[in-house]
Structures are given as C-alpha cells and as structure tokens.
Amino acid sequence: MNMRVGPPRRTQRAFTLVEVMVALFVVAMALPALVMTVSQYIDATGYMRDKSMAQMVAANKFEELRILSNAGQNLLRGSESGVTSMADRDWYWRLESQQTQADNFYRIEITVALDEEDDSANLFTLVAFMSADFRSDAGLGSEDG
C-alpha cells in the first residue's frame, strides 16, 4: 500500500471561456445602468442648484420692490420684466402686481427663468402679498409741542 504523507495536492482550475463571457455580459448589462443613474443624479443636482439660485433672484427682487415701495410709498401696478446677473448667469424675471379686494393690499408674483422667451422653463415663482400703506408713524402718538 502506497500512502502519501503531506498536504493534499491542489489542482489549479482556470476559468473557462464560457464563464469569462458570462461575466463580461453581466458587466456589460450593469455598466450602462450605472452610468445612466449617475447622469440622472448630476442632472438633478444641476436643476436643484438652478432652482435655488432662481429662488434667491426672486427673493432679492421682492426685497428691492419692498424697499422702493417704502421709499416712494407706492407699489408697482401692472407688470415689469428684466434680467439679473447672479453666479455668472443671466436670470430673466417677470413681476406682476395686482390689487386685491382689500384696500391698499397687493398680490405680487415674481417668476424667474433661464430663458426669456420660453414660459414653460420657469424655475421658480414667488407669490407674496404686500400692503401699500407704509405710514411708519401710525399708532406712535402725536407731536404736540
């Protein structure tokens, strides 16, 4: 009887051509899905960045209107549009003011877009209500010397 002493003999087994082809097929199917997911994530991030910037443009325009209205004690009646540069881009805004049923109370709507002609490309719309009565001394008493 011939007995062998020592560690068992290891047989080296290589991948067959079929196994390699199946592995490449699986990678080829998964890689485009991964690239598409990353691309959609990048697009969504860019859209949210643009939407956030458009919100800042609208808020700045509203504050500008509020400050000018305080100084001149009148609100814009009707509509106005223009362009503002922020973050190395041009932002097109449109402001519409309408009087409400309440006296001296206005509805302000500011819409911001990246394209001036495309109304469907609006990124952000700010709707606010503002009083046209800016008497700062109302209710503070009188100056009877």
Side-chain angles (χ1 to χ4, degrees):
M1 203 159 120
N2 192 1
M3 291 189 85
R4 192 158 200 233
V5 179
R9 183 184 277 177
R10 289 187 178 172
T11 58
Q12 292 183 350
R13 182 177 182 273
F15 290 110
T16 65
L17 181 59
V18 173
E19 291 172 331
V20 171
M21 294 298 285
V22 168
L24 287 176
F25 178 75
V26 169
V27 169
M29 290 291 115
L31 198 57
L34 179 65
V35 169
M36 181 67 94
T37 302
V38 170
S39 174
Q40 288 175 346
Y41 178 75
I42 290 170
D43 288 345
T45 302
Y47 175 74
M48 291 308 294
R49 179 201 60 228
D50 291 347
K51 194 166 180 79
S52 295
M53 292 300 294
Q55 181 181 6
M56 287 184 223
V57 170
N60 286 348
K61 193 64 192 167
F62 179 74
E63 286 302 313
E64 179 182 322
L65 178 66
R66 189 182 64 78
I67 290 168
L68 291 174
S69 295
N70 271 334
Q73 295 200 2
N74 66 352
L75 284 173
L76 168 75
R77 290 171 180 91
S79 64
E80 181 181 346
S81 62
V83 61
T84 299
S85 292
M86 182 182 277
D88 296 330
R89 293 179 87 173
D90 288 336
W91 302 90
Y92 298 94
W93 54 267
R94 185 175 52 255
L95 186 145
E96 294 181 18
S97 176
Q98 301 171 344
Q99 188 166 4
T100 62
Q101 293 176 350
D103 289 339
N104 292 326
F105 209 67
Y106 289 85
R107 179 184 188 271
I108 311 292
E109 182 174 318
I110 303 170
T111 305
V112 181
L114 285 173
D115 188 7
E116 186 174 21
E117 279 108 37
D118 189 6
D119 285 339
S120 66
N122 293 340
L123 286 172
F124 187 77
T125 300
L126 173 80
V127 177
F129 294 90
M130 185 184 301
S131 172
D133 188 9
F134 292 114
R135 287 176 284 171
S136 60
D137 60 346
L140 295 179
S142 63
E143 295 180 5
D144 294 339

